[in-house]
Amino acid sequence: MQRGQSDLAINASNKAVKLNPESIEPYIDRGMAYMQRGDYQQAFADFDYALTLSMSSRREKAELYARRGLTQYYMGDINAAISDYNLAIFMMKSLSMVYVYRGVAEMSQDNYAAAATDFTQAIHYDSDNFIAYRRRGDCQVKLGNLRTAIKDYWRYVEIGALNAKQRDEIRITINQLEAQLQAA
């Protein structure tokens, strides 16, 4: 799957499920491969079934809720996705990326204040979560907090593993925001 060969990963996971149908790992692996392929219904089914199996930790269950939430987000059921993200956070508050996922879902409903709060929580749990800085900056723009947005965008540039195109795009955005502030 890491090499982009989702079909091979699905076949390998199918074999693993046959060998040990009570193990959650093959369902998780297969679900991730289905997500990679864009087959969100199948991914949801695997994550949903894995949640019925015995797990070794709350973290494992939280990560499954987050993955199931992602499938629901991609299928367009934003409220169900947010519900699963809430469950994941309830299970394990320190999973930074779950706050990012929930924040993105909130943004899709134009709830920028709630999304900004989620991105702030993501940063609280992982100060190097450059995605959270970028998304929080986007929210700050929508909320009219341009100076705060610029700070977040600069932090995104400082710590993010960005390619040249991403760096150029965000620098253009920063320059536009600075121009707006000067004109005001």
Side-chain angles (χ1 to χ4, degrees):
M1 189 182 79
Q2 291 176 348
R3 292 188 305 261
Q5 298 176 348
S6 55
D7 290 334
L8 291 175
I10 290 167
N11 289 338
S13 296
N14 286 338
K15 292 175 185 173
V17 165
K18 286 180 184 174
L19 291 172
N20 193 356
E22 295 303 310
S23 174
I24 67 166
E25 286 83 10
Y27 294 100
I28 293 170
D29 293 344
R30 188 171 66 183
M32 294 300 291
Y34 279 132
M35 282 187 71
Q36 186 179 62
R37 193 166 81 179
D39 190 344
Y40 303 118
Q41 294 284 353
Q42 288 293 340
F44 177 87
D46 275 344
F47 298 144
D48 196 47
Y49 183 74
L51 282 165
T52 69
L53 299 174
S54 176
M55 282 175 246
S56 59
S57 71
R58 289 175 66 91
R59 181 182 190 91
E60 201 170 44
K61 194 166 199 164
E63 288 174 351
L64 264 171
Y65 277 118
R67 287 183 175 112
R68 192 175 76 172
L70 277 173
T71 62
Q72 292 177 110
Y73 175 79
Y74 290 129
M75 290 188 296
D77 193 345
I78 306 304
N79 291 328
I82 290 172
S83 179
D84 271 355
Y85 300 145
N86 290 340
L87 286 168
I89 290 167
F90 175 76
M91 298 301 254
M92 179 69 60
K93 292 192 182 328
S94 63
L95 293 175
S96 178
M97 281 308 294
V98 180
Y99 292 99
V100 171
Y101 301 151
R102 188 171 70 178
V104 169
E106 292 286 359
M107 285 179 74
S108 75
Q109 296 182 324
D110 297 332
N111 192 352
Y112 298 108
T117 299
D118 277 336
F119 299 131
T120 299
Q121 282 298 107
I123 292 164
H124 170 76
Y125 289 111
D126 179 3
S127 62
D128 290 332
N129 188 331
F130 64 94
I131 298 166
Y133 283 101
R134 167 62 195 260
R135 293 302 190 157
R136 189 172 70 175
D138 295 342
C139 288
Q140 296 301 341
V141 169
K142 293 289 189 179
L143 295 169
N145 303 322
L146 303 186
R147 283 184 176 81
T148 305
I150 291 169
K151 288 178 187 175
D152 280 344
Y153 288 149
W154 274 120
R155 185 72 179 135
Y156 169 69
V157 170
E158 289 170 0
I159 65 175
L162 310 179
N163 62 37
K165 181 181 177 190
Q166 292 168 316
R167 268 192 312 279
D168 290 344
E169 286 174 356
I170 202 68
R171 285 188 177 139
I172 289 168
T173 300
I174 291 169
N175 290 338
Q176 290 170 343
L177 293 175
E178 287 174 343
Q180 287 179 29
L181 284 171
Q182 289 176 355

